[in-house]
Amino acid sequence: LFPRLKIAVEVFLSGEKAGQQLVYQITDAKGVLAAETKTGISDKQVNLEITDVHLWNGRKDPYLYTATVCLMEDGVCIDSVSTRFFLNGNSYPLRGVSRHQDRAGNGNALLPEHHREDIDLICEMGATTIRLAHYQHAQYFYDLCDEKGLVLWAEIPYISQHMKNGRENTI
């Protein structure tokens, strides 16, 4: 369906110095698919091209790519950021559950095995999506959902107690 695809990657920096470089990469499970190095970092966007695109297909085939940008100084990566993403050109039916991150005796301080048990139960029942109730959940759970091909709805962290200027912060 997509033998070749261009992906725009943009980074936002503050405090950059002369002589630094930005190294952009797109990777998948097989390794580096596309890369570009920018010397002189005034232009912070690149268009990388990948070929033989593997489409994400939810729980049937949760194929992920990773975009990484590394800030280089004197040949050393001094800071980096990466995000996983997927590509898909098809509709995907959403059937799901709502999850509240807590357990008796642990509250919301869940261990990795608790998150894995939850994700296994949710997948066993055939869900394709999860609403993460009331606040951001542990990054580990987001990663598990990506790996399993689940679509997430994450709520903003605003419950129970109204903070001074809370409305403005929420917006």
Side-chain angles (χ1 to χ4, degrees), residues 14-160:
S14 62
E16 56 263 35
K17 299 177 192 171
Q20 292 177 325
Q21 296 178 311
L22 291 172
V23 177
Y24 297 80
Q25 288 188 331
I26 301 290
T27 59
D28 68 359
K30 299 173 203 151
V32 177
L33 302 173
E36 186 170 333
T37 299
K38 287 279 193 171
T39 303
I41 55 178
S42 59
D43 182 11
K44 299 174 182 80
Q45 181 175 335
V46 298
N47 291 307
L48 299 173
E49 184 173 274
I50 58 175
T51 58
D52 300 321
V53 175
H54 189 133
L55 295 178
W56 178 90
N57 192 15
R59 292 191 51 207
K60 292 179 187 173
D61 187 7
Y63 200 84
L64 297 171
Y65 292 90
T66 301
T68 302
V69 180
C70 185
L71 178 63
M72 304 290 289
E73 187 173 288
D74 298 324
V76 176
C77 181
I78 61 170
D79 194 10
S80 67
V81 64
S82 64
T83 187
R84 296 192 318 182
F85 66 97
F86 60 88
L87 303 170
N88 184 322
N90 301 314
S91 62
Y92 188 68
L94 300 178
R95 296 179 184 92
V97 299
S98 181
R99 178 188 188 244
H100 197 283
Q101 178 179 285
D102 66 346
R103 293 238 175 160
N106 290 83
N108 69 358
L110 300 186
L111 299 171
E113 55 263 28
H114 298 137
H115 294 293
R116 286 191 304 271
E117 182 178 62
D118 284 356
I119 201 85
D120 288 345
L121 289 169
I122 290 167
C123 287
E124 183 179 319
M125 66 186 298
T128 59
T129 186
I130 303 172
R131 171 187 170 248
L132 300 181
H134 305 314
Y135 44 77
Q136 266 59 72
H137 290 223
Q139 182 62 48
Y140 183 72
F141 194 76
Y142 287 86
D143 292 343
L144 287 173
C145 290
D146 285 344
E147 292 164 12
K148 296 289 186 178
L150 293 162
V151 175
L152 293 181
W153 171 311
E155 295 185 356
I156 60 171
Y158 187 71
I159 61 168
S160 304

